[in-house]
C-alpha cells in the first residue's frame, strides 16, 4: 500500500466518498503548482509502492518549481484508449505473449491488461462508394427498379429542399414529420429496417452510401473484428466499442471520459494515454492525457508506469474577445501559432486568463487536440463552470456532477474565473489576444504554413514561382496560366493551376466542433438559395465524424443544402484523413497529369502530411469547413474573396463570399435551437444497444488465440522468438551496412506510411502471392495486425528521399551486390547474409503522429541502431521500446562534417555498464573513428534496451 494512506479523507459534502487530500499533504507548495502538475502529484501519491513509484518521485513532483526538467517522474494513467489501427497490434502482441509465456512454462491466463482499456474500432472506413460511383451506374445499388415509381417526386419549391445531387431516386426532402422522431437519423439503419436517407429521413430504394460502406467495412474487416471480439471475451479489463458508433476521439470524449474516477466510493482524477494522436483532446475537459506510441501504451497496459521528464509548464493567458468572421478553427490555429512560436516542444501548456471562458469545450478540445502540430506534450484546460455545463449536456447525472465539483474543489483542481483567485506559477507565460485573430488556411504542403485567406491568391502565385521545396512548385512563368480542357459527363470544363478537385468537409480533428460544421451548412444553404453550384468533377464529401454531428446538421435543416452542393455523408470513419479516398475520375486525373497542373485538395481535418490524399493532387490546404464549401463553389484557390465573386447566382447576379457567410449571431441562434443534450442521449443509447452485425458476430473463446495461418490480417508476430528467462546484454554491432541514408525531418509517415498499398510495393507483392487482387489489398492501417505486410510497408512511402538513390523513391542500394532494391528486399538480403543494418539520418528524425510500426517495422527489417542529428521525442522512446539504439551525432557533427558516404561498414561498441547519454565509439571500415551519444535518458530505458524492448521485459515478469 501507499505510505501516504494517512492523507486519505472523507469528502465533506458526501462523507461516504474518500480521497487522498493532496492539497493538505502538499501545503503551500501545492497551491503554486500548475493544475496539470497537481494531477501528476495525486497520481504519484496514490500509486506509490516504493518500487515503480517511490516517495522521492512524489516529493520531486511537489518540488516542481525547482525540479522541472531535471528529474524523471513516473506516471500511472487511470485508463488507456486504443483505436483499432493501433489496438490490433497491441492485442496481437498480448495474444502472442500469452503463447510465449505458456511456452516458457508460465500461466497464460495471467497475461491481461493492468488498467481499464477501451478499444474503439472505427478508423478504417474507406470511401468506396462516393456519390459518383452511385450516380454513374445505370441501376444504382442493383435490385429491382420498380419501387422508384412509388416514391412520387415531391413538388416542393427549391428554396425549401433541394434534391441530392446525382441521387436519381431521392426526390428531395420528404416534408413529412419524420424529422421529429427522437430516435435520430441513424437508429433505423442499425436495425436494418427500411433504410432512411440521412438527409431527408425518407426510405430509399437503393443501399444508401453510409450503409453500403458499413456492409463493406464488416465484410472486409470481419477477421479483425472477430479477433477483437475474442479479446473482449478472454482478457480482463478490456472493453470494446464496436464499429459505426463514432470515432476514437469523439467516443473518447463524449462517452469514456470519467473526469473524476469513482471506484468503490474512492475518488481520484481521470487521466488517460492513448495511441491515437488525437488523445490530447481530453485535456480540453480537464482530463490529463496524451498520445504515446503503441509500444508505450502496451507497457502501461502491462502495469508499468510511463516515465517522463518532469515538464516545464507554459501558462497561456487568453485576453480580449473574438471577432465575428473568425471561426473556432481560426481561433484554434491562431493560438496554436502563438504556441509554436513560443517554443513549447516537450512542455505542458496550461490555459488561464479572462478569455478562457469564451472558449467552448469544443474549442478547447480542438486546441488540446492539435498538440502534435506545435510540439507540446499537452494543453490543459482545468475544469471550470464551462466544463461542468458541458458535462451536464453530455449526460452526467446531477449526483455525479455534484461529487465531481465537490471533489475537484477539495483538491484544488477547479479553476475559478474571479481575478482574485491565485494563478499558479508557470515556467513562462505566453499571452494571446483573441481580438487579433483573422481567418487562415494552411498549406499547400505542411500544416504549419499558414496563409491568411485574403492573401491566398498571391500566396499561391508565389508557390508556383518558388523552387520546388516545402512550399514551392517551380512552374515556369509561361506555363502558369495554362488551361487544360476536359470532357466530363458530357460537358467541357477547364482545369488550371489552383483548380480544386477534392473538397472534403471532415470533422476529424476539429472535433466536429458543431459550430464550425454548422457554419459550413448555413453557408451551403445561403449559397443554394443564391443559385450557386459546385462543378460535378470536384470530389466532394462530408465525413461528419459521428452521428452526433449528422444529427446536429440534420436537425438544423442544412443537410439537404450541403447535399445539393455534392457534400454527401460518407460513413463515420476518419477517411480522407488517412488517405483512404476513392480515386478521382480518370478523365480529370489524366488531364492533371498531361497538363502538369497543380490541382488542389481543400479539406478540414487538421492532419496534412504529403500524399495522403491522392498522388496527382499536389497542393493540399486545410481550411475551416465553411471555407472548404466556399473554395468548392469557387472551383479554385486562386481567388480573392474580397474582390472576386464566388460565382454567378440567379438572374446573373455576382455572389460574393460576404453575401453568404453566416454571422456569429445566426450560428449561435441555430446552435441553441439544436439542443446538444439530445445528441448525447442518442450516442449513449447507441453505445448501449451496440449494433446488430456486431452482436451477431461469432468469435472463439479459448485462452490462446487460434491463429489462422492463411490469414493476411492477423499473424503471430516474431517479437518473442528468443524469450529466455534472462536477457542477453547488448553487444557490439559489427560491420553494419547503412540501410538508408536520410536527410532532415523524416516523418513517421515516411517511415511507416498510412493509406493505400501501392501496387508496385513489396507489400503488394506479398499480398498478391497470397492470392489477393489489388481491390482486396485494403490499407496499411487495416493490415496493422500482420507483421509481414507492415514490415514490407516500412519505408515504402513514394516521397522517401534516400541519398543513395538521389530522388524520392522507396528504394535503397544493397551494397554487397550493388543492386537497387525495394527497402524490404535489401533488408531481407542483409538478414540472410547475417549483416546487421543501421540508418543514418539528419535532424528531427521521426516527426509527426506517433505510429508503433515506425519502430517495429525497422526492428523487423534488422535495424540495430539509428544514427541521427536529433530525434522527435516520442519516436526516440519508441525505438528504445522495441530494442533499437537511438544514437546522436555530437553537436555540430553530422555525416558530411565527418566525411561519411554511408557506403562504409560501421561497428558500434556498447559497454556492459551502459549509462544514460553515454558517449560510444563507432569505427568504420575506412578506419575512421568517431563518437556519438547514446540517447538513453534514464536507467529504466537502459533496462528496457538490455531486455530487447519493453515487450520482452514485461513477458519475463510473467514468468
Amino acid at each position: 500500500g501507499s505510505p501516504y494512506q494517512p492523507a486519505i479523507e472523507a469528502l465533506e459534502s458526501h462523507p461516504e466518498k474518500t480521497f487522498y487530500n493532496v492539497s493538505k499533504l502538499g501545503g503551500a507548495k501545492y497551491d503554486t503548482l500548475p493544475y496539470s502538475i497537481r494531477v501528476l502529484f495525486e497520481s504519484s501519491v496514490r500509486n506509490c509502492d516504493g518500487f515503480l513509484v517511490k516517495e522521492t518521485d512524489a516529493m520531486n513532483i511537489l518540488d516542481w518549481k525547482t525540479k522541472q526538467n531535471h528529474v524523471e517522474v513516473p506516471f500511472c494513467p487511470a485508463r488507456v484508449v486504443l483505436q483499432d489501427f493501433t489496438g490490433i497490434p497491441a492485442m496481437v502482441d498480448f495474444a502472442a505473449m500469452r503463447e510465449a509465456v505458456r511456452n516458457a512454462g508460465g500461466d497464460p491466463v495471467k497475461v491481461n491488461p493492468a488498467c481499464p482499456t477501451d478499444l474503439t474500432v472505427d478508423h478504417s472506413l474507406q470511401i468506396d462508394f462516393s456519390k459518383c460511383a452511385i450516380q454513374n451506374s445505370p441501376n444504382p445499388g442493383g435490385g429491382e427498379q420498380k419501387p422508384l415509381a412509388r416514391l412520387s417526386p415531391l413538388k416542393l419549391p427549391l428554396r425549401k429542399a433541394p434534391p441530392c445531387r446525382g441521387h436519381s431516386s431521392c426526390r428531395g426532402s420528404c416534408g413529412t414529420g419524420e424529422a421529429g422522431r427522437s430516435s435520430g437519423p441513424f437508429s433505423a439503419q442499425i436495425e436494418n429496417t427500411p433504410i432512411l436517407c440521412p438527409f431527408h429521413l425518407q426510405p430509399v430504394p437503393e443501399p444508401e452510401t453510409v450503409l453500403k460502406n458499413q456492409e463493406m467495412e464488416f465484410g472486409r474487416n470481419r477477421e479483425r473484428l472477430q479477433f477483437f471480439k475474442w479479446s473482449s471475451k478472454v482478457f480482463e479489463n478490456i472493453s470494446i466499442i464496436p464499429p459505426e458508433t463514432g470515432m476514437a476521439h469523439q467516443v473518447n470524449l463524449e462517452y469514456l471520459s470519467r473526469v473524476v474516477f469513482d471506484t468503490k466510493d474512492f475518488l481520484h482524477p481521470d487521466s488517460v494515454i492513448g495511441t491515437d494522436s488525437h488523445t490530447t483532446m481530453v485535456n480540453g475537459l480537464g482530463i490529463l492525457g496524451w498520445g504515446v506510441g503503441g509500444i508505450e501504451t502496451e507497457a502501461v497496459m502491462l502495469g508499468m508506469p510511463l516515465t517522463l521528464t518532469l515538464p516545464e509548464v507554459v501558462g497561456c493567458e487568453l485576453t480580449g474577445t473574438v471577432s465575428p468572421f473568425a471561426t473556432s478553427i481560426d481561433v484554434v490555429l491562431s493560438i496554436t501559432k502563438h504556441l509554436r512560436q513560443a517554443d513549447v516542444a516537450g512542455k505542458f501548456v496550461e490555459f488561464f486568463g479572462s478569455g478562457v471562458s469564451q472558449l467552448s469545450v469544443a474549442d478547447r478540445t480542438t486546441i488540446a487536440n492539435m498538440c502534435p502540430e506545435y510540439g507540446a506534450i499537452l494543453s490543459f484546460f482545468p475544469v471550470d463552470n464551462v466544463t461542468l455545463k458541458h458535462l451536464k449536456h453530455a449526460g452526467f447525472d446531477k449526483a455525479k456532477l455534484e461529487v465531481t465539483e465537490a471533489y475537484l474543489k477539495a483538491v484544488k483542481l477547479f479553476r475559478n474565473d474571479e481575478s482574485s483567485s491565485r494563478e499558479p506559477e508557470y515556467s513562462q507565460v505566453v499571452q494571446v489576444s483573441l481580438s487579433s485573430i483573422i481567418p487562415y488556411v494552411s498549406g499547400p504542403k505542411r500544416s504549419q504554413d499558414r496563409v491568411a485567406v485574403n492573401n491566398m491568391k498571391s500566396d499561391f502565385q508565389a508557390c508556383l514561382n518558388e523552387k520546388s521545396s516545402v512550399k514551392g512548385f517551380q512552374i515556369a512563368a509561361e506555363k502558369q496560366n495554362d488551361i487544360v480542357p476536359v470532357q466530363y459527363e458530357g460537358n467541357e470544363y477547364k482545369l488550371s493551376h489552383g483548380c480544386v478537385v477534392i473538397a472534403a468537409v471532415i470533422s476529424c480533428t476539429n472535433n466536429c466542433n458543431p459550430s464550425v460544421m454548422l457554419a459550413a451548412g448555413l453557408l451551403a444553404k445561403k449559397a443554394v438559395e443564391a443559385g450557386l453550384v459546385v462543378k460535378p468533377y470536384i470530389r466532394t464529401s462530408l465525413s461528419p465524424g459521428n452521428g452526433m454531428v449528422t444529427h446536429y446538421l440534420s436537425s438544423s435543416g442544412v443537410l439537404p443544402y450541403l447535399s445539393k452542393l455534392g457534400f454527401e455523408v460518407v460513413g463515420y470513419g476518419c477517411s480522407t484523413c488517412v488517405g483512404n479516398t476513392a480515386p478521382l475520375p480518370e478523365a480529370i486525373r489524366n488531364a492533371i497529369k498531361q497538363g502538369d497542373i497543380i490541382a488542389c485538395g481543400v479539406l478540414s481535418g487538421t492532419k496534412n502530411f504529403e500524399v495522403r490524399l491522392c498522388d496527382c493532387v499536389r497542393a493540399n490546404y486545410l481550411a475551416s469547413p465553411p471555407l472548404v464549401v466556399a473554395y468548392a463553389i469557387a472551383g479554385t484557390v486562386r481567388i480573392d474573396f474580397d474582390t472576386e465573386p464566388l460565382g454567378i447566382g440567379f438572374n446573373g447576379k455576382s455572389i460574393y463570399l460576404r453575401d453568404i457567410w453566416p454571422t456569429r449571431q445566426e450560428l449561435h441562434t441555430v446552435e441553441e435551437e439544436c439542443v446538444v443534450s439530445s445528441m448525447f442521449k442518442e450516442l449513449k443509447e447507441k453505445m448501449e444497444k451496440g449494433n446488430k452485425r456486431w452482436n451477431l458476430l461469432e468469435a472463439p473463446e479459448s485462452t490462446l488465440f487460434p491463429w489462422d495461418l492463411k490469414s493476411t490480417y492477423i499473424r503471430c508476430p516474431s517479437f518473442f522468438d528468443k524469450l529466455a528467462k534472462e536477457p542477453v546484454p547488448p553487444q557490439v554491432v559489427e560491420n553494419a551496412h547503412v540501410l538508408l541514408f536520410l536527410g532532415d525531418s523524416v516523418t513517421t509517415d515516411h517511415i511507416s506510411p498510412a493509406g493505400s498499398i501501392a501496387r508496385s510495393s513489396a507489400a503488394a507483392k506479398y499480398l498478391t502471392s497470397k492470392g489477393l487482387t489489388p481491390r482486396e489489398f485494403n490499407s496499411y492501417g487495416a493490415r496493422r495486425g500482420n507483421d509481414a505486410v507492415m514490415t514490407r510497408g516500412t519505408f515504402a512511402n513514394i516521397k522517401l528521399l534516400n541519398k543513395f538513390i538521389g530522388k524520392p523513391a522507396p528504394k535503397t542500394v544493397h551494397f554487397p551486390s550493388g543492386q537497387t532494391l525495394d527497402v524490404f528486399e535489401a533488408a531481407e538480403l542483409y538478414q540472410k547474409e547475417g549483416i546487421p543494418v543501421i540508418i543514418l539520418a539528419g535532424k528531427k528524425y521521426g516527426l509527426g503522429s506517433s505510429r508503433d510500426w515506425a519502430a517495429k517495422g525497422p526492428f523487423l527489417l534488422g535495424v540495430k541502431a539509428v544514427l541521427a542529428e536529433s530525434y522527435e521525442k516520442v519516436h526516440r522512446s519508441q525505438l528504445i521500446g522495441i530494442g533499437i539504439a537511438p544514437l546522436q551525432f555530437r553537436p555540430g557533427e553530422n555525416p558530411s562534417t565527418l566525411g561519411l558516404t554511408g557506403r562504409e561498414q560501421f561497428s558500434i561498441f556498447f559497454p556492459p555498464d551502459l549509462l544514460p547519454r553515454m558517449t560510444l565509439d563507432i569505427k568504420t571500415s575506412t578506419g575512421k573513428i568517431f563518437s556519438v551519444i547514446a540517447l538513453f535518458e534514464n536507467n529504466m530505458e537502459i533496462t528496457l534496451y538490455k531486455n530487447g524492448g519493453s515487450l520482452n521485459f514485461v513477458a519475463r515478469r510473467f514468468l
Side-chain angles (χ1 to χ4, degrees):
S2 169
Y4 294 112
Q5 273 169 344
I8 294 179
E9 284 186 13
L11 192 61
E12 235 174 82
S13 55
H14 300 75
E16 74 284 2
K17 310 277 183 197
T18 55
F19 65 102
Y20 277 102
N21 192 338
V22 280
S23 123
K24 196 176 278 182
L25 189 67
K29 270 187 190 169
Y30 183 86
D31 293 349
T32 63
L33 290 180
Y35 290 90
S36 48
I37 301 295
R38 296 177 194 183
V39 177
L40 287 182
F41 179 60
E42 192 282 338
S43 162
S44 67
V45 165
R46 184 167 33 88
N47 291 294
C48 186
D49 62 356
F51 172 57
L52 290 171
V53 182
K54 304 182 180 65
E55 276 184 73
T56 48
D57 293 323
M59 289 305 113
N60 279 341
I61 296 173
L62 191 58
D63 288 333
W64 170 81
K65 200 172 164 188
T66 55
K67 296 277 171 68
Q68 52 185 301
N69 268 342
H70 297 308
V71 294
E72 290 281 333
V73 295
F75 173 53
C76 304
R79 58 190 170 96
V80 167
V81 174
L82 298 170
Q83 54 71 333
D84 66 344
F85 276 8
T86 41
I88 281 260
M91 296 319 301
V92 164
D93 290 350
F94 262 92
M97 193 182 295
R98 278 197 159 187
E99 214 120 309
V101 166
R102 188 209 48 191
N103 295 344
D107 177 6
V109 178
K110 286 187 181 153
V111 179
N112 287 304
C115 63
T117 302
D118 298 302
L119 192 51
T120 67
V121 188
D122 212 7
H123 222 239
S124 62
L125 179 73
Q126 265 184 300
I127 306 182
D128 273 325
F129 294 94
S130 91
K131 51 172 203 275
C132 300
I134 291 176
Q135 92 193 18
N136 293 343
S137 63
N139 173 12
E144 294 187 25
Q145 285 187 283
K146 287 182 195 128
L148 287 186
R150 284 209 303 277
L151 291 176
S152 57
L154 292 161
K155 307 229 173 352
L156 291 173
L158 179 73
R159 275 181 71 93
K160 240 163 90 188
C164 312
R165 177 176 89 174
H167 268 262
S168 51
S169 54
C170 199
R171 305 295 181 201
S173 173
C174 54
T176 63
E178 288 274 358
R181 293 199 349 204
S182 61
S183 56
F186 283 103
S187 50
Q189 297 177 356
I190 286 173
E191 292 307 312
N192 292 351
T193 47
I195 298 167
L196 301 183
C197 167
F199 306 119
H200 319 109
L201 304 181
Q202 175 186 12
V204 284
E206 69 192 46
E208 183 275 330
T209 321
V210 173
L211 203 77
K212 225 163 164 185
N213 260 339
Q214 290 183 17
E215 290 289 353
M216 294 220 25
E217 170 115 341
F218 250 87
R220 179 160 33 189
N221 301 330
R222 172 170 306 268
E223 242 184 276
R224 299 190 300 155
L225 295 172
Q226 281 172 325
F227 174 69
F228 275 146
K229 202 151 183 189
W230 169 79
S231 303
S232 65
K233 285 177 176 175
V234 304
F235 288 110
E236 291 166 24
N237 253 343
I238 287 261
S239 57
I240 299 235
I241 289 167
E244 312 311 334
T245 20
M247 286 168 47
H249 10 109
Q250 269 92 3
V251 180
N252 182 345
L253 266 183
E254 278 120 33
Y255 193 74
L256 301 174
S257 293
R258 281 58 156 195
V259 186
V260 169
F261 258 85
D262 183 343
T263 317
K264 299 183 186 144
D265 284 338
F266 185 78
L267 306 174
H268 63 88
D270 189 1
S271 58
V272 60
I273 56 150
T275 49
D276 189 348
S277 56
H278 302 304
T279 309
T280 44
M281 281 176 83
V282 297
N283 292 283
L285 281 169
I287 296 167
L288 196 71
W290 64 93
V292 296
I295 291 171
E296 297 94 315
T297 321
E298 280 178 44
V300 170
M301 286 165 70
L302 291 160
M304 297 174 56
L306 213 58
T307 311
L308 71 157
T309 304
L310 191 58
E312 287 180 43
V313 182
V314 176
C316 184
E317 183 176 16
L318 302 182
T319 55
T321 48
V322 187
S323 78
F325 244 33
T327 65
S328 298
I329 301 249
D330 298 313
V331 173
V332 167
L333 289 177
S334 177
I335 291 173
T336 53
K337 184 181 183 189
H338 277 91
L339 291 173
R340 187 189 294 281
Q341 290 166 345
D343 177 34
V344 294
K347 302 175 189 176
F348 283 8
V349 172
E350 190 168 291
F351 287 83
F352 71 102
S354 58
V356 177
S357 46
Q358 283 185 52
L359 299 184
S360 66
V361 167
D363 295 338
R364 298 173 185 197
T365 49
T366 310
I367 291 166
N369 182 42
M370 287 184 68
C371 276
E373 315 278 322
Y374 48 86
I377 300 177
L378 53 88
S379 278
F380 194 70
F381 287 85
V383 174
D384 61 8
N385 291 322
V386 176
T387 325
L388 290 180
K389 205 183 286 171
H390 174 82
L391 294 174
K392 191 170 125 200
H393 287 314
F396 272 43
D397 59 51
K398 196 160 175 268
K400 167 138 191 176
L401 274 174
E402 282 171 5
V403 171
T404 300
E405 184 173 356
Y407 169 72
L408 292 172
K409 285 181 171 165
V411 291
K412 300 186 178 165
L413 284 171
F414 190 86
R415 195 185 72 87
N416 274 319
D417 257 345
E418 289 85 69
S419 48
S420 59
S421 67
R422 262 185 81 176
E423 296 295 354
E425 295 175 17
Y426 293 106
S427 314
Q428 71 183 90
V429 170
V430 174
Q431 285 180 313
V432 178
S433 155
L434 298 177
S435 328
S436 63
I437 294 171
I438 52 171
Y440 280 94
V441 298
S442 311
K445 295 184 180 184
R446 302 184 306 174
S447 52
Q448 62 261 43
D449 296 324
R450 304 203 316 157
V451 187
V453 174
N454 49 7
N455 293 339
M456 180 69 156
K457 190 176 184 178
S458 52
D459 187 82
F460 186 80
Q461 187 61 45
C463 293
L464 291 182
N465 292 328
E466 202 170 311
K467 288 209 294 294
S468 211
S469 67
V470 290
K471 273 199 88 163
F473 295 110
Q474 205 167 354
I475 300 293
E478 67 277 6
K479 294 214 158 151
Q480 290 179 5
N481 294 316
D482 283 5
I483 286 178
V484 179
V486 59
Q487 290 289 326
Y488 183 70
E489 289 184 353
N491 289 318
E492 182 173 281
Y493 297 96
K494 294 183 169 63
L495 298 183
S496 56
H497 295 300
C499 62
V500 173
V501 292
I502 292 177
V505 175
I506 307 167
S507 79
C508 172
T509 321
N510 71 37
N511 168 23
C512 64
N513 186 331
S515 71
V516 188
M517 294 297 278
L518 196 54
L522 291 176
L523 183 87
K525 178 172 186 281
K526 294 176 136 192
V528 168
E529 287 169 353
L532 296 172
V533 293
V534 171
K535 297 186 178 70
Y537 60 80
I538 298 178
R539 175 69 66 175
T540 45
S541 63
L542 171 65
S543 219
N546 67 359
M548 191 184 92
V549 182
T550 308
H551 186 130
Y552 213 97
L553 293 175
S554 55
S555 57
S556 60
V558 295
L559 267 174
Y561 299 97
L562 281 161
S563 170
K564 175 82 163 90
L565 295 178
F567 292 92
E568 306 274 15
V569 171
V570 284
Y572 298 137
C574 181
S575 16
T576 310
C577 196
V578 188
N580 292 343
T581 353
L584 287 173
E586 196 93 345
I588 302 297
R589 276 216 308 268
N590 294 342
I592 292 172
K593 283 186 176 147
Q594 271 162 13
D596 194 23
I597 291 291
I598 306 293
C600 298
V602 188
L603 57 157
S604 61
T606 50
K607 298 273 160 187
N608 176 30
F609 292 106
E610 291 182 79
V611 212
R612 279 214 180 165
L613 276 182
C614 201
D615 51 2
C616 59
V617 180
R618 284 156 65 191
N620 293 312
Y621 286 96
L622 285 173
S624 63
L627 282 173
V628 173
V629 177
Y631 280 117
I633 294 168
T636 177
V637 298
R638 288 171 97 174
I639 177 172
D640 177 349
F641 287 135
D642 289 342
T643 58
E644 299 170 64
L646 283 181
I648 305 300
F650 293 131
N651 311 329
K653 185 175 174 229
S654 292
I655 309 289
Y656 291 84
L657 182 59
R658 57 178 171 271
D659 303 330
I660 59 169
W661 188 271
T663 66
R664 245 182 145 64
Q665 196 45 54
E666 283 175 276
L667 261 177
H668 287 155
T669 313
V670 178
E671 200 168 4
E672 291 307 309
E673 288 167 12
C674 312
V675 190
V676 177
S677 49
S678 70
M679 297 180 291
F680 284 105
K681 232 195 319 270
E682 183 185 341
L683 184 70
K684 201 166 176 223
E685 279 166 20
K686 245 198 278 189
M687 288 291 312
E688 284 161 8
K689 209 158 56 179
N691 115 15
K692 204 168 187 174
R693 272 191 297 263
W694 173 260
N695 296 345
L696 293 173
L697 187 70
E698 288 177 4
E701 298 190 20
S702 50
T703 303
L704 299 176
F705 187 69
W707 305 100
D708 171 2
L709 299 177
K710 293 194 295 294
S711 170
T712 52
Y713 276 110
I714 307 274
R715 238 176 70 121
C716 187
S718 54
F719 299 123
F720 301 102
D721 283 359
K722 304 185 187 66
L723 182 67
K725 290 200 172 169
E726 287 306 313
V728 185
Q731 286 144 7
V732 186
V733 175
E734 262 183 297
N735 296 326
H737 264 299
V738 176
L739 181 64
L740 291 161
F741 188 180
L742 306 167
D744 295 344
S745 299
V746 173
T747 68
T748 46
D749 240 356
H750 290 114
I751 304 170
S752 180
S756 47
I757 296 173
R759 293 187 182 196
S760 57
S761 65
K765 290 173 199 164
Y766 167 80
L767 291 170
T768 307
S769 76
K770 296 278 179 199
L772 297 185
T773 64
R775 253 207 100 68
E776 300 166 310
F777 285 174
N778 212 326
S779 60
Y780 281 116
R783 294 202 181 269
R784 251 187 183 138
N786 182 335
D787 58 298
V789 172
M790 297 311 288
T791 308
R792 285 167 175 78
T794 304
F795 296 113
N797 189 322
I798 53 173
K799 287 286 174 92
L800 182 76
L801 190 50
N802 177 3
K803 296 186 182 179
F804 296 147
I805 303 296
K807 62 176 198 289
K811 302 273 181 198
T812 195
V813 177
H814 173 253
F815 290 110
S817 67
Q819 298 166 273
T820 297
L821 300 168
D822 280 337
V823 177
F824 172 78
E825 289 165 355
E828 199 176 29
L829 276 182
Y830 282 128
Q831 280 183 334
K832 282 191 185 130
E833 298 155 347
I835 299 174
V837 292
I838 62 170
I839 287 170
L840 290 183
K843 298 183 185 70
K844 294 191 182 162
Y845 181 74
L847 277 173
S849 28
S850 161
R851 301 228 173 110
D852 51 349
W853 278 104
K856 286 177 171 175
F859 173 79
L860 293 177
L861 288 177
V863 175
K864 300 293 180 227
V866 178
L867 184 44
E869 288 176 68
S870 65
Y871 291 85
E872 213 286 327
K873 189 174 178 234
V874 172
H875 189 65
R876 182 200 62 83
S877 63
Q878 278 186 349
L879 290 172
I880 296 167
I882 196 64
I884 295 176
L887 308 177
Q888 188 170 26
F889 289 106
R890 291 193 300 195
E893 294 188 346
N894 60 41
S896 63
T897 65
L898 292 166
L900 303 175
T901 63
R903 295 166 188 273
E904 311 88 344
Q905 286 183 274
F906 292 74
S907 296
I908 308 166
F909 304 93
F910 289 97
D913 48 350
L914 196 56
L915 296 169
R917 302 191 75 92
M918 193 174 200
T919 302
L920 304 182
D921 285 338
I922 296 189
K923 188 174 172 188
T924 70
S925 51
T926 55
K928 206 171 255 129
I929 295 182
F930 61 99
S931 300
V932 295
I933 302 156
L935 272 197
F936 299 104
E937 298 293 349
N938 52 52
N939 292 325
M940 186 70 167
E941 290 190 346
I942 288 174
T943 307
L944 291 181
Y945 177 68
K946 285 182 170 171
N947 270 278
S950 51
L951 289 172
N952 287 292
F953 174 76
V954 170
R956 286 194 177 94
R957 294 181 65 185
F958 283 120
L959 293 175

